[in-house]
Amino acid sequence: MTPALDGLRVLETGVLVAGPFCGQILADFGAEVIKVEQPGVGDPLREWGREKSGGLSLWWPVLARNKKSVTLNLRELRGQDLLRRLAASSDILIENFRPGTLERWGLGYDELSRVNPRLILVRITGFGQTGPYAGRPGYGSVGEAMGGLRHVVGPPDAPPSRVGISIGDTLAATFACVGALCALHARERTGRGQVVDSAIYEAVLAVMESLVPEYAVAGHVRERTGAILPNVAPSNIYPTADGQMVIIAANQDTVFARLAAAMGRADLATDERYATHVARGGRQAELDEMIATWTGGLEAEQLDAVLLQHGVPTGRIYTAAEMLRDPHFAAREAIVRLTHPEVGELPMQNVVPKLSDTPGRLRWPGPALGEHNEEVLRGLLDLDADELAALVANGTV
């Protein structure tokens, strides 16, 4: 089946995580994503993450999957001209440089839109294109801190922690992708492209629920609470007899009644100390201790069976090992295997979400540096072999 974004051409000039993750989403759904990299160097992410022997990054094949790699030196005039020519036949250009960088290279939106009025420019930065902080360097960690996430992550008796992935970058990239698709839809009416301005700190702020009005209206400052949300009970990690950890989420009144029945304590559901959401929230610690005592007497398999029998939401704390052998993951193809020229079989997460009629799919892992120079530069720009060889010789490509 033809993917949803088939026929869409995207130029990706960003590096590391934020810009490239936006490109990954678009590529997963069938867009032709041409990743533009510095000749001889490439995206630094080619060297990030855990490595296989020989220095091969195992992060790069995931983030750069389904993309074509072209090398262009955007710091010199000839490289800038070639990007301009590529932009003339593209739908989207993604960048995550510091504001003003494209403009210094003669590649700002005003100039690019003169070449291609339908072009959509996606710009991902730490603080956005405007405002007093626009010129600051802004990595994902800084956006997570200033957007409010770091303050609420971790145990209450420790300094602010971090989520173990680049969540600020990927949130900004996901919102940038949403913005790009909105701009594409608007282009159907107007015939013109526009700028999508996605700031990391704002993307983080966008998912912070009621944190701001809780302070502004009620004077409440959310703090770090570890594995729980205060006054939402029971919803926590509980131990099992065989040393595993299990999530049980039974904070809704009807679900708590089912948990109480599973524990052989149906009386808890009508006990005024635990019968309502508010009452349970006020006795969160003692309720968690009671549940932990019960779960600690059962092995994980037994606990899972009895909770599911009573319709109580539960799940184990998975690592990659559990994911790779879980039958539900397999049935939904949540993890798929590509063939990598150096690694061989390479498992990675599949496309999300699933579309019934125009699904995305994985076609190849992250490409070698400049692997598609010939195809793109000669095919799209009509360069002949001598011209391409000269560009390579002078460091433009």
Side-chain angles (χ1 to χ4, degrees):
M1 291 177 281
T2 303
L5 301 182
D6 183 65
L8 198 71
R9 179 170 295 144
V10 178
L11 298 179
E12 180 196 298
T13 62
V15 296
L16 297 177
V17 182
F21 189 75
C22 180
Q24 180 198 314
I25 298 171
L26 296 170
D28 281 352
F29 286 100
E32 178 191 21
V33 176
I34 300 170
K35 181 168 182 62
V36 178
E37 302 183 72
Q38 183 74 5
V41 178
D43 192 320
L45 201 74
R46 289 179 175 273
E47 299 178 356
W48 281 30
R50 295 290 179 181
E51 296 179 353
K52 185 182 184 296
S53 60
L56 177 70
S57 165
L58 294 176
W59 194 349
W60 171 258
V62 178
L63 198 62
R65 67 196 194 187
N66 292 336
K67 299 178 186 178
K68 298 176 180 179
S69 172
V70 166
T71 53
L72 286 180
N73 186 353
L74 299 181
R75 292 165 177 81
E76 58 104 14
L77 291 175
R78 183 64 171 134
Q80 294 160 8
D81 178 62
L82 290 171
L83 185 72
R84 218 174 278 117
R85 290 172 61 186
L86 286 172
S89 63
S90 298
D91 298 285
I92 297 170
L93 190 150
I94 302 169
E95 64 102 355
N96 63 324
F97 304 115
R98 197 182 297 192
T101 300
L102 284 189
E103 285 74 11
R104 287 198 307 273
W105 292 342
L107 297 169
Y109 186 67
D110 287 347
E111 181 159 353
L112 292 175
S113 63
R114 280 195 293 270
V115 173
N116 179 2
R118 293 174 58 81
L119 183 70
I120 293 160
L121 178 59
V122 176
R123 315 193 77 168
I124 308 173
T125 56
F127 297 100
Q129 300 295 314
T130 60
Y133 297 165
R136 288 190 182 188
Y139 273 23
S141 56
V142 178
E144 292 166 23
M146 296 182 69
L149 181 63
R150 291 292 182 102
H151 185 74
V152 301
V153 175
D157 56 352
S161 188
R162 70 171 297 161
V163 179
I165 56 172
S166 304
I167 190 67
D169 288 304
T170 52
L171 280 173
T174 303
F175 280 113
C177 185
V178 172
L181 297 177
C182 290
L184 280 171
H185 184 67
R187 192 178 73 176
E188 293 299 309
R189 299 193 307 273
T190 67
R192 293 192 59 82
Q194 59 183 292
V195 176
V196 177
D197 180 359
S198 180
I200 296 173
Y201 87 98
E202 289 172 347
V204 173
L205 178 63
V207 300
M208 292 308 297
E209 300 172 348
S210 56
L211 179 142
V212 171
E214 283 176 6
Y215 170 73
V217 177
H220 173 72
V221 177
R222 285 202 193 186
E223 299 291 348
R224 294 179 293 287
T225 56
I228 66 166
L229 286 176
N231 302 318
V232 177
S235 183
N236 206 341
I237 301 169
Y238 303 96
T240 66
D242 51 350
Q244 296 199 44
M245 295 178 291
V246 173
I247 290 278
I248 299 176
N251 46 291
Q252 187 178 351
D253 291 352
T254 54
V255 181
F256 178 70
R258 298 200 293 268
L259 173 62
M263 295 170 63
R265 292 292 311 275
D267 58 295
L268 294 176
T270 55
D271 188 320
E272 65 180 12
R273 295 173 298 174
Y274 312 113
T276 68
H277 177 81
V278 173
R280 288 191 300 277
R283 295 177 175 270
Q284 191 164 21
E286 69 181 62
L287 188 58
D288 277 342
E289 184 177 351
M290 187 186 310
I291 295 169
T293 299
W294 174 67
T295 64
L298 298 171
E299 293 190 352
E301 291 286 352
Q302 297 172 294
L303 179 61
D304 192 59
V306 69
L307 289 172
L308 292 180
Q309 180 184 350
H310 287 81
V312 178
T314 182
R316 301 186 199 183
I317 307 296
Y318 270 10
T319 65
E322 287 82 22
M323 296 174 190
L324 285 166
R325 59 174 176 256
D326 187 287
H328 187 77
F329 279 61
R332 286 181 56 83
E333 298 183 322
I335 294 175
V336 294
R337 288 163 171 79
L338 297 180
T339 300
H340 190 281
E342 296 180 55
V343 179
E345 184 178 85
L346 184 65
M348 66 179 69
Q349 57 270 40
N350 205 347
V351 179
V352 176
K354 298 180 185 300
L355 301 185
S356 62
D357 292 342
T358 57
R361 66 183 179 90
L362 304 193
R363 292 163 285 168
W364 60 81
L369 182 62
E371 181 177 332
H372 300 91
N373 280 349
E374 180 95 7
E375 174 189 337
V376 172
L377 298 179
R378 293 193 64 188
L380 294 183
L381 302 185
D382 294 325
L383 300 181
D384 62 33
D386 290 341
E387 288 178 296
L388 184 55
L391 290 170
V392 171
N394 67 23
T396 300
V397 172

